[in-house]
Amino acid sequence: MPLIGSLKTLLLRGLLAGLIAGLLAATVGYFIGEPKVDAAIAIEEAGSAPADHPHGAEPEATGGHSHGDEEEPLVSRTGQKAGQFLALGLAGLALGAIYASIAHFARRYTTLSGPKLALALGIGGWAAIVAVPFFKYPANPPAVGDPDTINERTLLWVAAVLLGLAAVGAGVYVYKLLRAQLSMLRLIAGIAAFVLVTTVGYILLPGVNEVKADFPASLLWEFRVSSLAETATLWACLALGFAALTEFATRTDTPVRESIATAG
């Protein structure tokens, strides 16, 4: 059955699914991602220690071995770890609202059932907003990256997101264009269009490599995997949650419709 319900109903459904997805993603980040962040911060602090306290200098010569003059972060690490639940919860709510609005618009142009449309939107959104930018400009932990290039890297990431949206749009367009062909052929053609647009975009966009040569490769890899796991959890739980709520609403609504039709 196609996706049914008013925009208000879909928004409430998206908000609930988004909130749950955000909290689950924060849980993944807390247990998998935060230890990697702590390790990267320790490397950064260890690298800056010799500059702050040269070897061989006596405490008296340096004014005493005190950390009182060091600038404290606005939010402690404990606060940051706990705060990500609030941040990702709010992000999940916002993403769920956007997701539901897009589902409300997309259902006019597809014959997919409500749950299948929810899953398709989840896969497409993850591919466009997460996968395409990530594999061009993967996430880096603290101690990696030049602060002076943050604006440039942000603009490049936005360009990669636009590339992802264009690639997904091209894939969907080709898939719908070949509606008279076999389903598998349409799927292959749609994926090929997605890959082609992504490849061309990757070639045109400049590369960014600011990882220091002495930064542990294993820690870098583990941080990036944990970052990808966190975003994948967010999108997967959002899509699955929205699909499950849609199927539940459809099943509870169908007997009422059938009873009305029988009575008539």
Side-chain angles (χ1 to χ4, degrees):
M1 179 180 292
L3 182 63
I4 59 175
S6 64
L7 176 59
K8 179 181 178 181
T9 300
L10 297 183
L11 284 174
L12 291 175
R13 195 178 299 168
L15 290 172
L16 177 58
L19 177 61
I20 295 173
L23 294 178
L24 289 176
T27 303
V28 172
Y30 184 86
F31 288 104
I32 299 179
E34 288 300 329
K36 310 301 183 297
V37 175
D38 289 337
I41 292 175
I43 292 175
E44 183 179 24
E45 292 177 347
S48 61
D52 296 335
H53 305 287
H55 291 292
E58 295 296 330
E60 292 79 11
T62 57
H65 187 76
S66 173
H67 297 281
D69 296 333
E70 293 181 1
E71 184 179 352
E72 294 294 332
L74 294 177
V75 182
S76 65
R77 284 293 297 139
T78 302
Q80 292 174 15
K81 291 178 181 180
Q84 71 175 323
F85 286 90
L86 175 61
L88 280 174
L90 294 176
L93 287 172
L95 184 60
I98 296 173
Y99 183 93
S101 300
I102 294 175
H104 172 69
F105 174 79
R107 64 179 172 178
R108 307 172 187 174
Y109 304 96
T110 182
T111 58
L112 291 175
S113 65
K116 288 183 178 179
L117 175 60
L119 295 177
L121 289 176
I123 294 173
W126 179 83
I129 300 175
V130 177
V132 172
F134 179 87
F135 289 106
K136 180 62 179 178
Y137 304 117
N140 288 326
V144 174
D146 183 1
D148 294 334
T149 64
I150 187 171
N151 291 332
E152 178 184 354
R153 286 184 281 122
T154 300
L155 291 176
L156 288 175
W157 180 83
V158 172
V161 171
L162 295 177
L163 169 64
L165 293 173
V168 171
V172 172
Y173 175 77
V174 171
Y175 180 83
K176 294 183 69 67
L177 188 65
L178 301 177
R179 60 175 56 91
Q181 305 298 324
L182 296 176
S183 297
M184 185 55 63
L185 179 61
R186 296 172 65 194
L187 181 61
I188 293 174
I191 294 175
F194 170 82
V195 172
L196 177 61
V197 174
T198 302
T199 301
V200 172
Y202 277 8
I203 293 173
L204 295 177
L205 288 174
V208 175
N209 184 16
E210 297 183 346
V211 180
K212 300 176 182 178
D214 59 345
F215 192 87
S218 59
L219 178 58
L220 178 65
W221 170 253
E222 290 170 356
F223 176 85
R224 288 176 173 176
V225 170
S226 65
S227 175
L228 188 61
E230 186 174 344
T231 53
T233 299
L234 177 64
W235 279 93
C237 292
L238 173 60
L240 291 172
F242 194 91
L245 291 173
T246 297
E247 184 174 7
F248 176 77
T250 301
R251 288 188 176 184
T252 55
D253 187 56
T254 299
V256 176
R257 291 177 179 269
E258 291 179 351
S259 62
I260 294 177
T262 302

